[in-house]
Amino acid sequence: MDNNELLKAAADAGFEYYGMLDVKTLELLPEVRDMCKANTCGMYGKNWACPPGCGTLEECQARINKFESGIIVQTMGKLKSSFDYKGMMKILALHKERFQKLNDLLVSQDKYKEILPLNAGACTICKECTYPEEACRFKDKAFASLESYGIYVSRLCRDNGIAYYYGPGTMSYTGCFLI
Ligand code: SF4
């Protein structure tokens, strides 16, 4: 797939916003990991796709180093109010569905021996994650988040020419595929 085909695939998957991603803009920062450690989301140490289960920043960097290009994708939706938690979860679920769809398409391309998908939020495939007792049940579908790799998502969006915030009453979720 060339860049135009990749962008078309992102549009076909339903993402509102997308663009090519410059791998050099992926900066893995210990301070983002520290935010994970603060555990405001309650997933730290509870999920293979989150720290520390997803590996050290050095291990994450080594995975990223294998890739030369990427695509950044974003779902943006409207909320009834800034407390519309149900609405937020609905937009996240839609984003994850689109992300899986695009992932499956990329994986099916002979051209890509390997891809690295990084998405939004913890992996929620299983009701209860096997971490740390047993291996992940669905390694191919358990996507780590950009944050778990120490990446500031707002900065990544800015550096790749995509907005991060679309104004009051909106919510956006961002992911990327390194190819
Ligand atoms: S697929 Fe299941 S076991 Fe694997 S990270 Fe996700 S929730 Fe955990």
Side-chain angles (χ1 to χ4, degrees):
M1 289 173 109
D2 61 24
N3 289 357
N4 285 337
E5 287 167 330
L6 276 169
L7 295 172
K8 185 177 179 311
D12 290 346
F15 293 107
E16 276 79 21
Y17 302 102
Y18 43 83
M20 297 312 294
L21 178 134
D22 180 355
V23 177
K24 289 193 233 53
T25 60
L26 292 163
E27 225 189 327
L28 279 53
L29 303 165
E31 53 264 40
V32 179
R33 270 285 166 97
D34 290 343
M35 287 190 246
C36 284
K37 266 190 210 157
N39 203 18
T40 44
C41 69
M43 297 307 284
Y44 188 83
K46 290 193 176 153
N47 195 288
W48 283 112
C50 292
C54 64
T56 63
L57 283 188
E58 289 71 25
E59 287 165 336
C60 293
Q61 185 67 63
R63 281 178 217 138
I64 285 177
N65 289 346
K66 293 190 207 162
F67 298 91
E68 286 168 6
S69 60
I71 182 165
I72 183 164
V73 292
Q74 200 176 57
T75 297
M76 192 278 289
K78 296 255 161 66
L79 300 172
K80 286 186 187 137
S81 73
S82 46
F83 303 105
D84 182 10
Y85 182 71
K86 244 182 158 180
M88 289 176 204
M89 292 303 101
K90 216 172 148 185
I91 300 165
L92 179 59
L94 178 64
H95 177 74
K96 287 190 171 188
E97 198 183 301
R98 293 167 170 181
F99 197 82
Q100 184 67 55
K101 193 172 163 188
L102 185 52
N103 180 76
D104 293 348
L105 178 76
L106 296 176
V107 166
S108 74
Q109 306 293 309
D110 290 339
K111 186 178 170 186
Y112 307 127
K113 285 191 208 103
E114 213 181 333
I115 64 166
L116 177 59
L118 296 172
N119 203 10
C123 175
T124 49
I125 294 174
C126 309
K127 211 169 170 194
E128 263 192 51
C129 186
T130 56
Y131 184 85
E133 279 85 22
E134 288 165 41
C136 169
R137 292 189 190 103
F138 303 103
K139 261 193 161 180
D140 294 345
K141 290 184 177 176
F143 307 128
S145 67
L146 285 161
E147 290 91 346
S148 73
Y149 267 52
I151 295 162
Y152 260 122
V153 181
S154 56
R155 210 179 281 180
L156 184 73
C157 289
R158 180 199 66 193
D159 293 346
N160 288 282
I162 280 195
Y164 174 71
Y165 179 59
Y166 293 89
T170 68
M171 187 72 199
S172 65
Y173 293 98
T174 308
C176 77
F177 293 91
L178 303 188
I179 50 180

mmCIF file of all heavy atoms in Angstrom, residues 14 19 42 50 57 88 90-91 102 149 162 169:
data_model
loop_
_atom_site.group_PDB
_atom_site.id
_atom_site.type_symbol
_atom_site.label_atom_id
_atom_site.label_comp_id
_atom_site.label_asym_id
_atom_site.label_seq_id
_atom_site.Cartn_x
_atom_site.Cartn_y
_atom_site.Cartn_z
ATOM 1 N N GLY A 14 -13.425 4.476 8.780
ATOM 2 C CA GLY A 14 -14.379 5.373 9.430
ATOM 3 C C GLY A 14 -13.763 6.493 10.250
ATOM 4 O O GLY A 14 -14.482 7.312 10.824
ATOM 5 N N GLY A 19 -3.609 10.795 9.137
ATOM 6 C CA GLY A 19 -2.507 11.374 8.365
ATOM 7 C C GLY A 19 -1.296 10.472 8.467
ATOM 8 O O GLY A 19 -1.261 9.545 9.294
ATOM 9 N N GLY A 42 -6.570 3.222 37.100
ATOM 10 C CA GLY A 42 -6.730 1.958 37.816
ATOM 11 C C GLY A 42 -6.213 0.739 37.067
ATOM 12 O O GLY A 42 -6.437 -0.398 37.483
ATOM 13 N N CYS A 50 -0.603 -2.561 29.369
ATOM 14 C CA CYS A 50 -0.253 -1.358 30.136
ATOM 15 C C CYS A 50 1.057 -1.589 30.886
ATOM 16 O O CYS A 50 1.464 -2.727 31.078
ATOM 17 C CB CYS A 50 -1.356 -1.052 31.161
ATOM 18 S SG CYS A 50 -2.891 -0.527 30.393
ATOM 19 N N LEU A 57 10.543 1.197 28.877
ATOM 20 C CA LEU A 57 10.619 2.170 27.775
ATOM 21 C C LEU A 57 11.713 1.784 26.776
ATOM 22 O O LEU A 57 11.563 1.986 25.575
ATOM 23 C CB LEU A 57 10.886 3.579 28.311
ATOM 24 C CG LEU A 57 9.697 4.310 28.937
ATOM 25 C CD1 LEU A 57 10.062 5.756 29.240
ATOM 26 C CD2 LEU A 57 8.459 4.258 28.049
ATOM 27 N N MET A 88 -18.511 9.075 26.201
ATOM 28 C CA MET A 88 -17.061 8.888 26.008
ATOM 29 C C MET A 88 -16.749 7.436 25.699
ATOM 30 O O MET A 88 -15.961 7.115 24.809
ATOM 31 C CB MET A 88 -16.297 9.302 27.275
ATOM 32 C CG MET A 88 -16.268 10.772 27.538
ATOM 33 S SD MET A 88 -15.445 11.083 29.117
ATOM 34 C CE MET A 88 -16.151 12.676 29.519
ATOM 35 N N LYS A 90 -18.740 5.230 24.483
ATOM 36 C CA LYS A 90 -19.303 4.878 23.181
ATOM 37 C C LYS A 90 -18.333 5.274 22.054
ATOM 38 O O LYS A 90 -18.098 4.515 21.112
ATOM 39 C CB LYS A 90 -20.646 5.625 23.012
ATOM 40 C CG LYS A 90 -21.683 4.823 22.276
ATOM 41 C CD LYS A 90 -23.003 5.530 22.314
ATOM 42 C CE LYS A 90 -23.768 5.219 21.045
ATOM 43 N NZ LYS A 90 -25.001 5.947 20.920
ATOM 44 N N ILE A 91 -17.760 6.461 22.178
ATOM 45 C CA ILE A 91 -16.805 6.927 21.161
ATOM 46 C C ILE A 91 -15.546 6.049 21.197
ATOM 47 O O ILE A 91 -14.997 5.678 20.156
ATOM 48 C CB ILE A 91 -16.455 8.419 21.372
ATOM 49 C CG1 ILE A 91 -17.719 9.285 21.281
ATOM 50 C CG2 ILE A 91 -15.428 8.899 20.345
ATOM 51 C CD1 ILE A 91 -17.557 10.699 21.824
ATOM 52 N N LEU A 102 -8.878 -1.659 10.714
ATOM 53 C CA LEU A 102 -7.712 -1.222 9.952
ATOM 54 C C LEU A 102 -6.524 -2.144 10.233
ATOM 55 O O LEU A 102 -5.755 -2.483 9.323
ATOM 56 C CB LEU A 102 -7.374 0.241 10.286
ATOM 57 C CG LEU A 102 -6.252 0.888 9.481
ATOM 58 C CD1 LEU A 102 -6.457 0.732 7.975
ATOM 59 C CD2 LEU A 102 -6.106 2.359 9.827
ATOM 60 N N TYR A 149 3.459 3.570 26.078
ATOM 61 C CA TYR A 149 4.788 3.645 25.480
ATOM 62 C C TYR A 149 5.495 4.952 25.856
ATOM 63 O O TYR A 149 6.554 5.275 25.326
ATOM 64 C CB TYR A 149 4.696 3.524 23.954
ATOM 65 C CG TYR A 149 4.854 2.096 23.463
ATOM 66 C CD1 TYR A 149 4.079 1.067 23.999
ATOM 67 C CD2 TYR A 149 5.770 1.759 22.476
ATOM 68 C CE1 TYR A 149 4.217 -0.244 23.565
ATOM 69 C CE2 TYR A 149 5.911 0.444 22.037
ATOM 70 C CZ TYR A 149 5.139 -0.539 22.572
ATOM 71 O OH TYR A 149 5.281 -1.853 22.135
ATOM 72 N N ILE A 162 -2.111 17.084 13.222
ATOM 73 C CA ILE A 162 -3.503 16.693 13.505
ATOM 74 C C ILE A 162 -3.929 17.367 14.813
ATOM 75 O O ILE A 162 -3.128 17.449 15.753
ATOM 76 C CB ILE A 162 -3.596 15.152 13.633
ATOM 77 C CG1 ILE A 162 -3.632 14.550 12.228
ATOM 78 C CG2 ILE A 162 -4.784 14.690 14.437
ATOM 79 C CD1 ILE A 162 -4.063 13.117 12.173
ATOM 80 N N GLY A 169 -17.574 19.902 24.355
ATOM 81 C CA GLY A 169 -18.592 18.951 23.914
ATOM 82 C C GLY A 169 -18.080 17.923 22.921
ATOM 83 O O GLY A 169 -18.871 17.238 22.278
#
